[in-house]
Amino acid sequence: MEAKDRDYIANYDKYKDKIYTYFWYRVNFNNDIAEDLTAEVFLKAYKNFEDFDPSRSFQAWIYAIAHNHLVNHYRTANREIDLERAAVIAVDETKDLDAKFEIERIMTTIKCLDSYCREVLELRFIDQLSNSEIADLLGKDEGAIRTQISRAMQILKDKLKE
Amino acid sequence: MDNIDFKLNNLPRKKLPRRVDWAIKSKLYFLMLQKKLALFSRQENFSPALLRPMMAAIIILLSVIIVPAYAYANDNITRGNWLYPVKRAVENIEMNLPASLPRQVATYEKMAARRLSEAEFLAAQNGLAQPDEIETAINDAVGLKAKAAAKSKEAENQKASDRVADIINESTERQAEKLAKIALHVGINSNEELVDTIAIALDDVKTKKQDFKFVNNFPKADEVLIATTSDSGLEFIEDTTGKQTATSVQSRPVHDPVSSSSNRNEKFRKATSTAKIITRDEAEEAISGVKRSIDSLKDSLSVESFPEQDVRKLIDRLNNKLDRSYQAMELNDFDKLNGLLNSTWALTNNAKHFMKKNETNGDTANPFNQEQDNNREGEKNNSGRSNRK
């Protein structure tokens, strides 16, 4: 196997769960759709891997592809996220009984925020991207992202106190 | 709420299922091999003498490992595809491997899910697939679920029974979702037999979840199981002294698309599925019950935003079945009557799955671009999820 192909497989193994989680939180926690999207992203990325600049972060690249793919999915699938169902299914994933209620509240509240706040919080805490990576993905300034995350956290805390 | 940061940093993480991982890797290796072959054929120092042994090796590798793996992993390889027998052969090997009882039950459920995925793929082809192909896939899935349920009865103790119950119930929820998606793709205007098959499968899947829980309330050695359901929603276990213990059946509204049947439906279901209608009185009562249910469905649909022509088509279909039921009753053809009422009931219970609600404003699913949200209004979803494969 060529070195480049080996690198791709290694990166695939490293990021497959992250990309799957990325989609899973954004497609109404639907396992089947998230699996399909994950497969499509990695296959699409491989087909364009010749054009990938090795000096660039693979993570940033694959997340950008995933983001664009998700936009296309929303456009063609024309789906809405069911707020209640989203929170309920997220709860199933937690084992600790005390955490369940808390996470349900947090997830429901995040989903109720405006799209920008929701997205930066999801990229920060679900996808665990750094501020610079989020800025790169959304095409914004890193300082603006840092401010937005603080603002979104404050809004989230205020809503949770209500 | 304390420690929001801690909780946010510890949100659930998903792991890509091994089956999907394997499928993706197979496809990647296939693409890599394709690329390599394309490169070889273009090389100047490529010796044609190497071609035959190389091709032989590749063909062997493909046929023994990659092709079966590819066939096995793809939901879009369905009946009619030349790889389908390969796929089923690999599945048969898996089903016949020695395994524990929970593993056997899980395998049957997994195969049922795979049949439903195939049906979903076919249904998403916008009428290009034959209805009987979709029907066959769904009937295969129902058959496999029945095998899983039959196998589950071999559990030797409560713990094993609970374990297989969990496996079946978890699979059943996902399968009900898949069937709902198939129903939406197929639509109410499709071939009647196909619509009936889907509706009955949906009912079957939802009912089995409740029934399964009941069967696995293990009666003790000195107790006798009585599978009766009253209008009050209670089920009874009777011991040898005649003492009865009641447990309640969960009660749900008739036309909730995600619920199983209500208590009234349960009583009727016993009449059609486990104790078939054999007298005219039972037939009249059953038909009246169905008629009431259809009227109730009409009322419930009138306040929801389903397309008018779809609702009209649905009601016409249901009324047509009702008319045929009356005719069957007049002719004392109770077999036909049972079949018609069963399908009518299933369709009444699951009607909403077959129709897509009229689009509303304010779709906020796209978190990145509000303009794209606005542009999406009026766009029709023509391709299903699995179509992308």
Side-chain angles (χ1 to χ4, degrees):
Chain A
M1 198 190 287
E2 283 182 20
K4 204 157 186 181
D5 289 344
R6 270 201 300 275
D7 284 343
Y8 188 84
I9 295 291
N11 278 313
Y12 161 75
D13 283 330
K14 192 174 170 188
Y15 293 105
K16 64 188 179 194
D17 293 335
K18 285 190 171 189
I19 295 296
Y20 180 54
T21 303
Y22 173 87
F23 283 126
W24 188 73
Y25 273 93
R26 291 162 173 84
V27 290
N28 200 16
F29 306 95
N30 187 310
N31 291 328
D32 291 338
I33 295 177
E35 286 166 14
D36 284 352
L37 291 174
T38 306
E40 286 156 19
V41 157
F42 279 105
L43 291 173
K44 189 193 279 187
Y46 178 71
K47 286 173 187 168
N48 296 308
F49 196 49
E50 291 294 329
D51 304 328
F52 173 66
D53 178 4
S55 62
R56 196 185 159 187
S57 154
F58 184 90
Q59 179 175 267
W61 183 67
I62 199 73
Y63 266 99
I65 295 175
H67 160 59
N68 292 331
H69 202 70
L70 186 66
V71 167
N72 287 334
H73 168 72
Y74 284 140
R75 191 184 298 125
T76 57
N78 197 20
R79 294 177 194 276
E80 289 186 2
I81 295 174
D82 182 333
L83 296 176
E84 282 181 21
R85 182 158 167 70
V88 166
I89 293 173
V91 161
D92 289 341
E93 294 296 311
T94 61
K95 304 295 177 199
D96 173 41
L97 286 173
D98 287 337
K100 268 187 184 179
F101 175 69
E102 298 287 305
I103 288 178
E104 180 180 352
R105 276 199 71 201
I106 293 172
M107 292 300 298
T108 309
T109 311
I110 288 176
K111 297 290 181 191
C112 292
L113 300 177
D114 71 76
S115 60
Y116 188 31
C117 284
R118 186 174 71 229
E119 189 55 32
V120 293
L121 286 180
E122 286 175 349
L123 287 169
R124 178 69 186 81
F125 293 107
I126 293 170
D127 305 307
Q128 296 188 321
L129 298 184
S130 65
N131 291 342
S132 61
E133 286 165 342
I134 296 171
D136 193 32
L137 186 63
L138 299 181
K140 308 268 182 194
D141 178 63
E142 189 179 336
I145 293 295
R146 200 179 310 119
T147 308
Q148 186 59 34
I149 289 174
S150 300
R151 196 174 295 147
M153 284 295 293
Q154 192 54 52
I155 296 171
L156 178 65
K157 284 174 185 172
D158 291 342
K159 280 192 180 292
L160 287 168
K161 278 181 193 157
E162 286 169 11
Chain B
M1 164 127 359
D2 297 330
N3 294 326
I4 291 175
D5 288 314
F6 174 78
K7 290 183 173 67
L8 283 173
N9 282 310
N10 288 283
L11 288 170
R13 300 271 176 270
K14 289 292 286 185
K15 204 166 159 53
L16 191 67
R18 198 183 299 176
R19 166 186 63 86
V20 180
D21 181 29
W22 192 25
I24 296 172
K25 273 199 169 138
S26 298
K27 288 178 190 173
L28 284 171
Y29 288 133
F30 193 77
L31 287 171
M32 289 171 189
L33 182 65
Q34 254 184 345
K35 193 173 77 171
K36 218 170 177 67
L37 282 175
L39 268 173
F40 263 122
S41 66
R42 272 184 254 136
Q43 277 178 353
E44 287 178 11
N45 58 351
F46 175 67
S47 164
L50 286 175
L51 182 61
R52 201 177 279 182
M54 201 167 69
M55 286 307 299
I58 288 169
I59 286 167
I60 290 167
L61 192 68
L62 281 173
S63 49
V64 171
I65 298 171
I66 296 177
V67 167
Y70 177 81
Y72 177 81
N74 267 287
D75 294 332
N76 60 346
I77 290 176
T78 58
R79 207 174 284 268
N81 187 303
W82 70 275
L83 282 173
Y84 194 66
V86 176
K87 181 180 185 181
R88 293 301 293 262
V90 175
E91 287 179 0
N92 282 337
I93 293 170
E94 187 178 356
M95 281 202 282
N96 290 314
L97 286 172
S100 63
L101 179 69
R103 171 61 63 197
Q104 287 176 46
V105 170
T107 302
Y108 280 128
E109 288 290 344
K110 178 176 148 184
M111 296 305 155
R114 288 167 68 80
R115 296 293 82 79
L116 289 179
S117 295
E118 288 166 15
E120 189 187 352
F121 170 76
L122 289 167
Q125 300 305 299
N126 290 329
L128 293 175
Q130 294 297 326
D132 59 345
E133 287 174 354
I134 306 172
E135 263 182 72
T136 305
I138 293 173
N139 287 330
D140 284 350
V142 170
L144 284 159
K145 279 199 72 66
K147 282 186 181 173
K151 190 54 88 167
S152 71
K153 289 180 168 57
E154 293 175 18
E156 288 173 351
N157 54 54
Q158 186 66 48
K159 190 176 171 188
S161 177
D162 288 347
R163 176 85 187 97
V164 297
D166 287 342
I167 290 169
I168 290 182
N169 287 335
E170 199 189 316
S171 308
T172 298
E173 278 195 41
R174 286 200 291 266
Q175 286 156 13
E177 284 173 21
K178 256 200 205 301
L179 280 165
K181 276 194 234 175
I182 293 169
L184 193 61
H185 281 309
V186 162
I188 194 61
N189 294 300
S190 286
N191 173 282
E192 185 174 353
E193 274 182 30
L194 176 58
V195 169
D196 286 347
T197 300
I198 297 169
I200 291 169
L202 263 166
D203 243 19
D204 195 50
V205 155
K206 288 175 188 172
T207 308
K208 272 198 169 35
K209 187 177 172 185
Q210 270 205 341
D211 285 351
F212 188 80
K213 275 189 178 162
F214 169 74
V215 166
N216 282 285
N217 289 333
F218 259 83
K220 299 185 185 55
D222 58 351
E223 289 177 350
V224 170
L225 203 64
I226 303 173
T228 54
T229 308
S230 70
D231 269 336
S232 60
L234 294 174
E235 295 176 336
F236 298 90
I237 294 174
E238 185 181 86
D239 65 20
T240 51
T241 66
K243 181 185 165 191
Q244 289 184 350
T245 321
T247 52
S248 71
V249 170
Q250 196 173 0
S251 169
R252 293 186 189 181
V254 174
H255 298 302
D256 178 348
V258 299
S259 78
S260 65
S261 10
S262 71
N263 294 330
R264 198 198 307 165
N265 297 356
E266 198 64 33
K267 189 176 177 184
F268 171 75
R269 186 167 307 288
K270 293 294 178 188
T272 55
S273 58
T274 56
K276 293 200 184 300
I277 293 168
I278 53 171
T279 68
R280 197 183 168 94
D281 286 342
E282 284 172 356
E284 282 177 356
E285 191 190 334
I287 291 176
S288 300
V290 168
K291 193 171 185 317
R292 279 196 301 273
S293 186
I294 293 173
D295 290 338
S296 172
L297 175 64
K298 260 191 252 178
D299 293 337
S300 111
L301 289 176
S302 65
V303 299
E304 296 195 51
S305 53
F306 289 111
E308 206 183 297
Q309 66 267 30
D310 286 355
V311 173
R312 216 176 308 125
K313 177 76 182 180
L314 166 72
I315 300 300
D316 285 346
R317 244 188 201 168
L318 289 169
N319 286 333
N320 179 264
K321 284 181 186 294
L322 207 58
D323 290 341
R324 285 186 280 153
S325 301
Y326 276 118
Q327 286 168 17
M329 183 178 71
E330 291 304 321
L331 296 171
N332 291 328
D333 188 350
F334 291 118
D335 283 341
K336 189 173 179 181
L337 175 63
N338 278 304
L340 278 167
L341 289 177
N342 195 29
S343 65
T344 311
W345 199 262
L347 186 54
T348 312
N349 280 345
N350 298 289
K352 293 181 187 178
H353 290 302
F354 289 92
M355 301 181 291
K356 190 179 174 188
K357 283 194 181 179
N358 292 324
E359 288 179 9
T360 54
N361 292 328
D363 183 350
T364 55
N366 185 337
F368 291 101
N369 192 332
Q370 197 60 43
E371 269 183 52
Q372 285 171 331
D373 286 337
N374 294 337
N375 288 340
R376 239 188 304 120
E377 281 187 16
E379 281 183 23
K380 208 173 170 185
N381 177 13
N382 282 323
S383 59
R385 178 69 254 123
S386 301
N387 226 6
R388 287 169 180 260
K389 286 185 183 166

